[in-house]
Amino acid sequence: QALANISWAFACCNCLQLAQLEALVDRLIDAASSFNPTELSQLHQFLLFLRIEHPSLADRLVASVDKEKLLAAFISFDVSPSSFQRDVSVALVQCGWIHEFEHVTEDGISLDLAQPMAKHGVEVDGPYHFLRNPSTGRLKANGATQLKSRLLDGLGWKLTRIPFFEWEPLTSEADKYHYLETKLGLRGED
């Protein structure tokens, strides 16, 4: 479990030098056959990170692991849409932004709301997507949220994030509509 956790954590922070990544890939090649589904899911995310940031290392890892098994482990976890996500979805439809709910990309990444043909996704980020800086009180996206953004960007997706602290103060439908048309750049598309 530790090796999978370390790989995933380093993908989140993107803080290893090439030599360290090479050593990590060598260890993963040796250990991957004994990974459980959770570890395989983490390895899938690490592999996506490598594909984008270090393609030659991704090729080395792919040669020794079952890519389909990694993908299957990654997409096997259930998603539970929140009422916040449903509220944003309804408001987007009212704005004319027609989308799929809980779209899964070909790489297995789940997007809360997406227009797959345009490769435009919307992530509805509740409190668990953020960490609070104890000194300033400011919220910052956590590592998993940042990794997902980097992966989607590297895979050619445009991503719009709707954080809970921007959405919650919106009390009227008009406020929500205005916020979404501004956030997604919908003005003038009629």
Side-chain angles (χ1 to χ4, degrees), residues 8 22 24-26 33-34 43 60 67 73 77-78 82 85 91 93 97 99 101 108 117 140 153 157 159-160 189:
W8 179 82
E22 289 171 340
L24 183 55
V25 167
D26 289 340
S33 63
S34 65
L43 185 55
R60 276 182 49 204
K67 213 168 85 171
F77 292 94
D78 290 331
S82 66
Q85 183 179 338
V93 169
W97 201 79
H99 57 275
F101 194 80
M117 296 302 289
K140 180 180 179 179
D153 182 59
W157 282 81
L159 186 61
T160 303
E189 289 185 8

Side-chain angles (χ1 to χ4, degrees), residues 131-140:
L131 301 173
R132 185 175 302 278
N133 181 319
S135 301
T136 65
R138 288 190 170 174
L139 293 174
K140 180 180 179 179

Side-chain angles (χ1 to χ4, degrees), residues 51-79:
R51 268 186 37 208
I52 294 163
E53 302 287 337
H54 303 280
S56 63
L57 287 177
D59 293 342
R60 276 182 49 204
L61 188 55
V62 166
S64 64
V65 297
D66 182 348
K67 213 168 85 171
E68 296 305 315
K69 191 174 179 182
L70 297 182
L71 179 60
F74 184 62
I75 62 176
S76 69
F77 292 94
D78 290 331
V79 293

Side-chain angles (χ1 to χ4, degrees), residues 3 6-29 43 45-61 147 150:
L3 191 56
I6 288 168
S7 303
W8 179 82
F10 284 130
C12 285
C13 70
N14 193 17
C15 58
L16 286 181
Q17 300 299 317
L18 184 57
Q20 295 167 314
L21 278 171
E22 289 171 340
L24 183 55
V25 167
D26 289 340
R27 294 281 314 273
L28 288 168
I29 288 169
L43 185 55
Q45 292 172 82
F46 183 70
L47 180 59
L48 288 176
F49 159 76
L50 288 177
R51 268 186 37 208
I52 294 163
E53 302 287 337
H54 303 280
S56 63
L57 287 177
D59 293 342
R60 276 182 49 204
L61 188 55
L147 175 61
R150 283 198 340 268

